[in-house]
Amino acid sequence: MCFRFNLFICLCIFKLSKILFNIVSSDLIINVSPSEVVIALQENKRLVELTREKSGAKFAVGDIYLGRVKKIMPSLNAAFIDVGYEKDAFLHYLDMGPQFSTLSKFMKFALSKKNKISSLSKIQSLPDIDKDGKIVDILKTGQSILVQIAKEPISTKGPRLTSELSIAGRHMVLMPFSEKVSISQKINSVEEKNRLKKLIQSIRPRKYGVIVRTAAEGKRVAELDQELKRLVAKFESMFTTLKNAHAPSLVVGELGRTTSILRDIYHPDFNSIIVNDPAVFDEITEYIGSIAPEKKKIAKLYKGGQPIFDYFGIEKQIKASFGKTVSFKNGAYLIIEHTEAFHVIDVNSGNRSKAGIDQETNALEVNLAAAEEIARQLRLRDMGGIIVIDFIDMHVIENRHKVYERMRESMAADRTKHNILPLSKFCLMQITRQRVRPEEHIDTTEVCPVCKGTGKVTPSVLFSDELENKVAYIFKELNKKKLTIKVHPYLAAYLTKGIWSIKRQWAFKFLKRIDIESVGSHNFMEYHFLDENLEEIIL
């Protein structure tokens, strides 16, 4: 009894300390399938980010391509570049960077098979291009050009490009052809900023600038020097790659989506990184071992029979968090609409009511809670561009300011660049958020699996007969040795209940092993057959 009481006290103290010190517990759940990799980030067991990477997907932000100028648009002061995508990529003059002439000189050296230079420091810099110049004076149709993906293809648009190349690392971003050292504004200590600046100035090679990221705070010179050398080697590998390159082609690829997300979001308080694929697990373990060897054990390989997102409750959160209507607190909800120009979010109190609370106080409580949920939704859906939020009307200026401050606090963890404007007198808030990838969209509505959308159904008493006929066909005609049937939990219970269950009857009838697997994300009458090699049988 005494032991239980002490354990209860310890748990209470732990939870209280997390609240008082605002400790965030972060977990990364990675679902690897043949068609895609889905990465879910949870903070305090709440889903806050969800990203997908299709297998074999190209044109990720950070990739460097040798492209070819396809068309110059003087009226836009821009050019369309062929980088191998189905639609030409867009490069504006202002995105070419002041050191474009030096970049072009580097590219010509690297493309030349007679070139023996292997270090950027040996290339003489050329004067910066005029920031108010014209693109027709710099580029010509058919010309080869080095470009980097700044925005992935979105909707009907091709990738957005820049020629101001950079190589991102965990603690810094390398800026070739520059001599400038910048320190992250999120590092508050002036002494630490000065220390990092002097340190980087002493170890950086000539012709390379560096942007020091927040993760570098408190790091030793050996660790930073090691990463800097690795980034320089990655960039200068283009001396070799470009010799045999033909436009359009990829010359320097960004890390995989999983590793690049780890690079950007990893922090020492990370609880766990759980993945269901051995190859990706090895990749993650190797990466964590290179940046924080003492934390290698947080990477875990999931071997459970249940789908990983079902086991950790991710699938349920996805269903609840996407869609037009999102509930968040005591009956209050958001309506999220998307247009071509911007996103609109409407805050509604719903049937929420508390005795003794006036309308202004009720509106403030709902709006404060809505601000937190909206900040989460922006990260979760990766909504970019202009977002307009219609909060519940508040007449007290101080209350509008409280909502604005709560939104700023809630979006402080958002790594994507954003700008928040205070509420207007009509309680409208405008947010701009950088968009570099397509918005994450998941349709949470489902076509009725029974009627297939027709409104008419076959008799339910025939369902088990229909399923049995297909099981018979699989064993007798396809000669399968073992069968796994994935079904909704209700169907799983129906097929396995009782001593002489339907599953046992089939196993006895066909003299084969049959497993019934419950999958919470399946539709009510949905089922899938897997053979002995766990490959799906398509009937």
Side-chain angles (χ1 to χ4, degrees):
M1 184 70 181
C2 182
F3 171 76
R4 288 183 180 179
F5 179 76
N6 290 338
L7 181 62
F8 173 75
I9 294 296
C10 290
L11 287 172
C12 289
I13 293 172
F14 175 71
K15 290 182 178 180
L16 183 61
S17 65
K18 289 182 72 175
I19 295 171
L20 292 176
F21 297 104
N22 197 26
I23 299 173
V24 178
S25 167
S26 299
D27 302 279
L28 207 62
I29 315 295
I30 304 167
N31 181 23
V32 181
S33 66
S35 59
E36 63 180 1
V37 177
V38 187
I39 304 161
L41 173 64
Q42 289 193 116
E43 290 180 357
N44 297 332
K45 302 302 179 184
R46 292 188 73 221
L47 183 64
V48 294
E49 287 188 27
L50 187 74
T51 57
R52 297 172 182 271
E53 183 178 16
K54 297 289 183 184
S55 297
K58 299 179 180 179
F59 308 101
V61 171
D63 287 347
I64 299 176
Y65 281 82
L66 177 64
R68 190 177 301 281
V69 179
K70 196 78 174 285
K71 189 177 182 181
I72 295 176
M73 304 293 290
S75 59
L76 299 175
N77 205 17
F80 287 100
I81 312 295
D82 178 15
V83 291
Y85 188 65
E86 57 191 34
K87 293 201 173 184
D88 292 332
F90 183 80
L91 175 67
H92 194 274
Y93 181 86
L94 295 177
D95 293 323
M96 294 173 69
Q99 298 91 21
F100 183 78
S101 298
T102 309
L103 173 65
S104 298
K105 184 178 180 180
F106 160 77
M107 182 190 67
K108 289 175 183 176
F109 269 114
L111 286 171
S112 173
K113 294 186 178 181
K114 296 180 181 179
N115 169 52
K116 295 183 180 179
I117 295 177
S118 59
S119 175
L120 192 64
S121 60
K122 296 179 181 179
I123 296 178
Q124 188 67 34
S125 296
L126 296 176
D128 292 355
I129 62 173
D130 184 2
K131 65 177 181 180
D132 298 317
K134 302 295 182 185
I135 200 164
V136 291
D137 300 328
I138 305 292
L139 296 182
K140 294 179 181 178
T141 303
Q143 174 182 339
S144 294
I145 180 175
L146 275 175
V147 289
Q148 188 168 30
I149 305 294
K151 284 186 181 181
E152 292 179 12
I154 297 174
S155 185
T156 59
K157 300 175 182 177
R160 178 75 182 260
L161 305 177
T162 177
S163 283
E164 201 163 7
L165 307 185
S166 63
I167 306 290
R170 165 73 180 152
H171 303 110
M172 65 190 75
V173 179
L174 187 72
M175 304 292 292
F177 314 106
S178 173
E179 299 285 347
K180 187 177 180 182
V181 175
S182 303
I183 310 295
S184 168
Q185 295 297 321
K186 292 183 179 179
I187 298 177
N188 298 319
S189 170
V190 176
E191 292 81 6
E192 179 64 8
K193 284 184 176 181
N194 292 334
R195 182 188 77 89
L196 287 170
K197 191 159 190 175
K198 289 178 182 178
L199 192 156
I200 297 297
Q201 287 283 20
S202 67
I203 63 175
R204 71 172 181 86
R206 289 179 58 248
K207 304 292 174 64
Y208 286 105
V210 175
I211 299 173
V212 180
R213 305 181 76 171
T214 312
E217 188 171 7
K219 298 298 178 183
R220 297 179 180 178
V221 62
E223 190 173 351
L224 298 177
D225 185 50
Q226 184 181 10
E227 180 172 82
L228 182 59
K229 287 177 179 176
R230 187 167 61 247
L231 296 178
V232 170
K234 184 175 181 179
F235 179 79
E236 294 191 343
S237 68
M238 282 198 286
F239 278 109
T240 304
T241 309
L242 284 169
K243 280 185 179 180
N244 302 312
H246 299 281
S249 63
L250 175 69
V251 291
V252 175
E254 175 61 293
L255 296 170
R257 182 65 59 86
T258 307
T259 312
S260 62
I261 287 178
L262 264 181
R263 179 192 66 200
D264 293 337
I265 70 173
Y266 176 81
H267 54 79
D269 297 325
F270 237 71
N271 271 12
S272 60
I273 301 167
I274 305 168
V275 60
N276 62 348
D277 182 80
V280 177
F281 170 75
D282 291 340
E283 177 189 336
I284 290 170
T285 305
E286 182 182 352
Y287 180 75
I288 295 177
S290 67
I291 62 171
E294 72 282 359
K295 301 289 286 186
K296 283 179 70 173
K297 290 184 179 179
I298 67 170
K300 300 170 185 175
L301 180 62
Y302 175 74
K303 298 179 180 178
Q306 195 176 1
I308 187 170
F309 273 11
D310 285 347
Y311 182 81
F312 289 102
I314 302 295
E315 195 67 41
K316 185 176 180 180
Q317 290 193 65
I318 290 173
K319 294 288 186 184
S321 301
F322 286 84
K324 181 178 177 180
T325 303
V326 178
S327 299
F328 61 93
K329 187 176 182 180
N330 297 334
Y333 61 94
L334 306 174
I335 300 291
I336 303 176
E337 298 274 11
H338 310 280
T339 71
E340 188 67 25
F342 52 83
H343 309 278
V344 182
I345 301 177
D346 184 33
V347 180
N348 294 275
S349 60
N351 56 7
R352 183 185 187 279
S353 62
K354 283 188 178 180
I357 295 184
D358 60 275
Q359 191 275 336
E360 181 78 13
T361 305
N362 184 65
L364 176 61
E365 286 188 8
V366 173
N367 286 340
L368 290 174
E372 295 178 2
E373 179 61 28
I374 290 168
R376 172 176 171 260
Q377 286 290 327
L378 297 185
R379 290 177 67 188
L380 188 58
R381 303 181 187 222
D382 204 6
M383 293 165 63
I386 301 172
I387 300 107
V388 178
I389 306 165
D390 181 11
F391 284 102
I392 300 172
D393 286 347
M394 296 178 295
H395 304 290
V396 180
I397 296 176
E398 288 78 6
N399 289 341
R400 295 202 290 265
H401 185 70
K402 286 179 182 177
V403 173
Y404 168 67
E405 288 299 326
R406 178 65 61 85
M407 180 62 78
R408 290 186 60 190
E409 291 169 10
S410 300
M411 290 193 69
D414 194 341
R415 304 188 312 276
T416 304
K417 292 180 181 177
H418 58 270
N419 186 36
I420 307 170
L421 297 182
L423 278 74
S424 70
K425 66 177 181 179
F426 302 111
C427 278
L428 294 176
M429 175 183 284
Q430 296 178 64
I431 299 175
T432 58
R433 189 173 183 272
Q434 187 181 27
R435 178 166 58 179
V436 296
R437 296 186 180 93
E439 179 191 342
E440 186 65 45
H441 175 73
I442 296 175
D443 190 358
T444 56
T445 60
E446 300 172 350
V447 175
C448 174
V450 182
C451 72
K452 310 298 182 186
T454 64
K456 297 180 180 180
V457 299
T458 54
S460 57
V461 293
L462 300 180
F463 174 74
S464 61
D465 293 338
E466 175 189 338
L467 208 57
E468 184 176 347
N469 290 337
K470 292 186 177 181
V471 171
Y473 175 80
I474 289 170
F475 284 135
K476 293 180 179 179
E477 301 297 329
L478 301 182
N479 296 317
K480 298 297 181 181
K481 299 177 182 178
K482 178 187 170 185
L483 184 64
T484 300
I485 309 175
K486 291 188 172 186
V487 292
H488 187 276
Y490 286 170
L491 280 181
Y494 172 71
L495 295 173
T496 57
K497 67 178 181 180
I499 298 175
W500 191 238
S501 65
I502 294 175
K503 170 193 166 183
R504 290 182 183 273
Q505 293 176 36
W506 290 348
F508 182 78
K509 181 177 181 179
F510 301 112
L511 298 177
K512 303 282 186 179
R513 180 175 171 179
I514 300 173
D515 291 331
I516 306 295
E517 188 172 314
S518 170
V519 182
S521 60
H522 277 11
N523 296 326
F524 181 62
M525 302 291 278
E526 181 181 357
Y527 53 86
H528 296 274
F529 299 111
L530 280 70
D531 63 13
E532 58 270 17
N533 299 317
L534 296 181
E535 294 180 357
E536 186 169 358
I537 303 168
I538 307 298
L539 299 177

Coordinates of all heavy atoms in Angstrom, one line a residue, residues 300-342:
K300 N 13.8 2.8 -32.1 CA 13.3 1.5 -31.9 C 12.6 0.9 -33.1 O 12.0 1.7 -33.8 CB 12.3 1.6 -30.7 CG 12.9 2.1 -29.4 CD 11.9 2.3 -28.3 CE 12.5 3.0 -27.1 NZ 11.5 3.3 -26.1
L301 N 12.8 -0.4 -33.3 CA 12.2 -1.0 -34.4 C 10.9 -1.7 -34.0 O 10.9 -2.5 -33.0 CB 13.1 -2.1 -35.0 CG 12.6 -2.9 -36.2 CD1 12.3 -2.0 -37.4 CD2 13.6 -4.0 -36.6
Y302 N 9.8 -1.3 -34.6 CA 8.4 -1.8 -34.2 C 8.2 -3.2 -34.9 O 8.4 -3.3 -36.2 CB 7.3 -0.8 -34.6 CG 5.9 -1.4 -34.4 CD1 5.4 -1.4 -33.1 CD2 5.2 -1.8 -35.5 CE1 4.1 -1.9 -32.9 CE2 3.9 -2.3 -35.3 CZ 3.4 -2.3 -34.0 OH 2.1 -2.8 -33.8
K303 N 7.9 -4.2 -34.2 CA 7.7 -5.5 -34.7 C 6.3 -6.1 -34.5 O 6.1 -7.3 -34.7 CB 8.8 -6.5 -34.2 CG 10.2 -6.1 -34.5 CD 11.2 -7.1 -33.9 CE 12.6 -6.7 -34.2 NZ 13.6 -7.6 -33.6
G304 N 5.4 -5.3 -34.0 CA 4.1 -5.7 -33.7 C 3.3 -6.2 -34.9 O 3.6 -5.8 -36.0
G305 N 2.3 -7.0 -34.7 CA 1.4 -7.5 -35.8 C 0.4 -6.4 -36.2 O 0.0 -6.4 -37.4
Q306 N 0.0 -5.6 -35.3 CA -1.0 -4.5 -35.6 C -0.3 -3.4 -36.4 O 0.9 -3.1 -36.1 CB -1.6 -4.0 -34.3 CG -2.8 -3.1 -34.5 CD -3.4 -2.7 -33.2 OE1 -2.9 -3.0 -32.1 NE2 -4.5 -2.0 -33.2
P307 N -0.9 -2.8 -37.4 CA -0.3 -1.6 -38.1 C 0.2 -0.6 -37.1 O -0.5 -0.3 -36.1 CB -1.4 -1.1 -38.9 CG -2.3 -2.2 -39.2 CD -2.2 -3.1 -37.9
I308 N 1.4 0.0 -37.4 CA 2.1 0.8 -36.4 C 1.2 2.1 -36.0 O 1.2 2.5 -34.9 CB 3.5 1.3 -36.9 CG1 4.3 2.0 -35.9 CG2 3.4 2.0 -38.2 CD1 5.7 2.2 -36.2
F309 N 0.5 2.7 -37.0 CA -0.3 3.9 -36.7 C -1.5 3.5 -35.9 O -2.0 4.4 -35.1 CB -0.7 4.6 -38.0 CG 0.4 5.5 -38.5 CD1 1.6 5.6 -38.0 CD2 0.1 6.4 -39.6 CE1 2.6 6.5 -38.4 CE2 1.1 7.3 -40.0 CZ 2.3 7.3 -39.5
D310 N -2.0 2.3 -36.1 CA -3.2 1.9 -35.2 C -2.7 1.7 -33.8 O -3.4 2.1 -32.8 CB -3.8 0.6 -35.8 CG -4.6 0.9 -37.0 OD1 -4.9 2.1 -37.3 OD2 -5.0 -0.1 -37.7
Y311 N -1.5 1.0 -33.7 CA -1.0 0.7 -32.3 C -0.8 1.9 -31.5 O -1.1 1.9 -30.3 CB 0.2 -0.1 -32.5 CG 0.8 -0.6 -31.1 CD1 0.3 -1.7 -30.5 CD2 1.9 0.1 -30.5 CE1 0.8 -2.1 -29.3 CE2 2.4 -0.3 -29.3 CZ 1.9 -1.4 -28.7 OH 2.4 -1.8 -27.5
F312 N -0.2 3.0 -32.1 CA 0.1 4.2 -31.4 C -1.0 5.2 -31.4 O -0.8 6.4 -31.0 CB 1.4 4.8 -31.9 CG 2.6 3.9 -31.5 CD1 3.2 3.1 -32.4 CD2 3.2 4.0 -30.2 CE1 4.3 2.3 -32.1 CE2 4.2 3.2 -29.9 CZ 4.8 2.4 -30.8
G313 N -2.1 4.9 -32.0 CA -3.3 5.8 -32.0 C -3.1 7.0 -33.0 O -3.9 8.0 -32.9
I314 N -2.2 6.9 -33.9 CA -2.0 7.9 -34.9 C -3.2 8.0 -35.9 O -3.7 9.1 -36.3 CB -0.7 7.7 -35.7 CG1 0.5 7.7 -34.7 CG2 -0.5 8.8 -36.7 CD1 0.8 9.0 -34.0
E315 N -3.6 6.8 -36.3 CA -4.7 6.7 -37.3 C -6.0 7.4 -36.8 O -6.6 8.1 -37.6 CB -5.0 5.3 -37.7 CG -5.8 5.1 -39.0 CD -5.1 5.5 -40.2 OE1 -3.9 5.2 -40.3 OE2 -5.7 6.2 -41.1
K316 N -6.3 7.2 -35.6 CA -7.5 7.8 -35.0 C -7.3 9.3 -34.9 O -8.3 10.0 -35.2 CB -7.7 7.2 -33.6 CG -9.0 7.7 -32.9 CD -9.2 7.0 -31.5 CE -10.4 7.5 -30.9 NZ -10.6 6.8 -29.5
Q317 N -6.1 9.8 -34.6 CA -5.9 11.2 -34.5 C -6.0 11.9 -35.9 O -6.5 13.0 -36.1 CB -4.6 11.6 -33.9 CG -4.5 11.2 -32.4 CD -3.2 11.9 -31.8 OE1 -3.0 13.1 -31.8 NE2 -2.3 11.0 -31.3
I318 N -5.5 11.1 -36.9 CA -5.6 11.6 -38.3 C -7.1 11.8 -38.7 O -7.5 12.8 -39.3 CB -4.9 10.7 -39.3 CG1 -3.4 10.8 -39.0 CG2 -5.2 11.1 -40.7 CD1 -2.6 9.8 -39.8
K319 N -7.9 10.8 -38.4 CA -9.3 10.9 -38.8 C -10.0 12.0 -38.0 O -10.9 12.6 -38.6 CB -10.0 9.5 -38.4 CG -9.5 8.3 -39.2 CD -10.0 8.4 -40.6 CE -9.7 7.1 -41.3 NZ -10.1 7.2 -42.8
A320 N -9.6 12.3 -36.8 CA -10.2 13.4 -36.0 C -9.7 14.8 -36.3 O -10.4 15.7 -36.1 CB -10.0 13.1 -34.5
S321 N -8.5 14.9 -36.9 CA -7.9 16.2 -37.1 C -8.0 16.7 -38.5 O -7.8 17.9 -38.7 CB -6.4 16.1 -36.7 OG -6.2 15.6 -35.4
F322 N -8.3 15.9 -39.5 CA -8.4 16.4 -40.8 C -9.9 16.5 -41.2 O -10.8 16.0 -40.5 CB -7.7 15.5 -41.8 CG -6.2 15.7 -41.8 CD1 -5.4 15.0 -40.8 CD2 -5.5 16.5 -42.6 CE1 -4.0 15.1 -40.8 CE2 -4.2 16.7 -42.6 CZ -3.4 16.0 -41.7
G323 N -10.2 17.2 -42.2 CA -11.6 17.4 -42.6 C -12.0 18.8 -42.5 O -11.3 19.7 -41.9
K324 N -13.2 19.1 -42.9 CA -13.7 20.5 -42.9 C -14.0 21.0 -41.5 O -13.7 22.1 -41.1 CB -14.9 20.6 -43.8 CG -15.5 22.0 -43.8 CD -16.7 22.0 -44.8 CE -17.4 23.4 -44.8 NZ -18.6 23.4 -45.7
T325 N -14.5 20.1 -40.7 CA -14.9 20.5 -39.3 C -13.9 19.8 -38.3 O -13.7 18.6 -38.4 CB -16.3 20.1 -39.0 OG1 -17.2 20.7 -40.0 CG2 -16.8 20.5 -37.6
V326 N -13.4 20.6 -37.4 CA -12.5 20.0 -36.4 C -13.0 20.5 -35.0 O -13.0 21.7 -34.7 CB -11.0 20.5 -36.6 CG1 -10.1 20.0 -35.5 CG2 -10.5 20.2 -38.0
S327 N -13.3 19.5 -34.1 CA -13.7 19.9 -32.8 C -12.5 20.0 -31.9 O -11.5 19.3 -32.1 CB -14.6 18.7 -32.2 OG -15.8 18.6 -33.0
F328 N -12.6 20.9 -30.9 CA -11.4 21.0 -30.1 C -11.6 21.2 -28.6 O -10.8 20.8 -27.8 CB -10.5 22.2 -30.5 CG -11.2 23.6 -30.5 CD1 -11.0 24.4 -29.4 CD2 -11.9 24.0 -31.6 CE1 -11.6 25.6 -29.4 CE2 -12.5 25.3 -31.6 CZ -12.4 26.1 -30.5
K329 N -12.8 21.7 -28.1 CA -12.9 21.9 -26.7 C -14.4 22.1 -26.3 O -15.0 23.1 -26.8 CB -12.0 23.0 -26.1 CG -12.0 23.1 -24.6 CD -11.1 24.2 -24.1 CE -11.0 24.2 -22.6 NZ -10.1 25.2 -22.1
N330 N -14.9 21.2 -25.5 CA -16.3 21.4 -24.9 C -17.3 21.8 -26.0 O -18.1 22.8 -25.7 CB -16.2 22.5 -23.8 CG -15.4 22.1 -22.6 OD1 -15.2 20.9 -22.4 ND2 -14.8 23.0 -21.9
G331 N -17.3 21.2 -27.1 CA -18.3 21.4 -28.1 C -17.9 22.5 -29.1 O -18.6 22.7 -30.1
A332 N -16.9 23.3 -28.8 CA -16.4 24.3 -29.8 C -15.7 23.6 -31.0 O -15.2 22.5 -30.8 CB -15.5 25.3 -29.1
Y333 N -15.8 24.3 -32.1 CA -15.2 23.6 -33.3 C -14.7 24.7 -34.3 O -15.1 25.9 -34.3 CB -16.2 22.7 -34.0 CG -17.5 23.3 -34.4 CD1 -17.6 23.8 -35.8 CD2 -18.6 23.5 -33.6 CE1 -18.8 24.4 -36.2 CE2 -19.7 24.1 -34.0 CZ -19.8 24.6 -35.3 OH -21.0 25.2 -35.8
L334 N -13.9 24.2 -35.2 CA -13.4 25.1 -36.3 C -14.0 24.6 -37.6 O -14.2 23.4 -37.9 CB -11.8 25.0 -36.4 CG -11.0 25.3 -35.2 CD1 -9.5 25.0 -35.5 CD2 -11.2 26.7 -34.7
I335 N -14.2 25.6 -38.5 CA -14.6 25.2 -39.9 C -13.4 25.7 -40.8 O -13.1 26.9 -40.8 CB -15.9 25.9 -40.4 CG1 -17.0 25.5 -39.5 CG2 -16.2 25.6 -41.8 CD1 -17.5 24.1 -39.7
I336 N -12.8 24.8 -41.5 CA -11.6 25.1 -42.3 C -11.9 25.0 -43.8 O -12.3 23.9 -44.3 CB -10.4 24.2 -41.9 CG1 -10.1 24.3 -40.4 CG2 -9.2 24.6 -42.8 CD1 -9.0 23.4 -40.0
E337 N -11.8 26.1 -44.5 CA -12.1 26.2 -45.9 C -10.9 26.6 -46.7 O -10.1 27.4 -46.2 CB -13.2 27.2 -46.2 CG -14.6 26.9 -45.6 CD -15.4 25.9 -46.4 OE1 -14.9 25.4 -47.4 OE2 -16.6 25.8 -46.0
H338 N -10.7 26.0 -47.9 CA -9.5 26.3 -48.7 C -10.0 26.9 -50.1 O -10.9 26.4 -50.7 CB -8.7 25.0 -49.0 CG -8.4 24.3 -47.7 ND1 -7.4 24.6 -46.9 CD2 -9.0 23.2 -47.2 CE1 -7.3 23.8 -45.9 NE2 -8.3 22.9 -46.0
T339 N -9.4 28.0 -50.4 CA -9.7 28.6 -51.7 C -8.4 28.7 -52.5 O -7.3 28.4 -52.0 CB -10.3 30.0 -51.6 OG1 -9.3 30.9 -51.1 CG2 -11.4 30.0 -50.6
E340 N -8.4 29.2 -53.8 CA -7.2 29.3 -54.6 C -6.3 30.4 -54.0 O -5.1 30.3 -54.1 CB -7.6 29.7 -56.0 CG -6.5 29.7 -57.0 CD -5.9 28.3 -57.2 OE1 -6.6 27.3 -57.1 OE2 -4.7 28.2 -57.6
A341 N -6.9 31.4 -53.4 CA -6.1 32.6 -53.0 C -5.6 32.4 -51.5 O -4.5 32.8 -51.2 CB -6.9 33.9 -53.1
F342 N -6.5 31.9 -50.6 CA -6.1 31.8 -49.2 C -6.9 30.7 -48.5 O -7.8 30.2 -49.1 CB -6.2 33.1 -48.5 CG -7.5 33.8 -48.7 CD1 -8.6 33.5 -47.9 CD2 -7.7 34.8 -49.7 CE1 -9.8 34.2 -48.0 CE2 -8.9 35.5 -49.8 CZ -9.9 35.2 -49.0

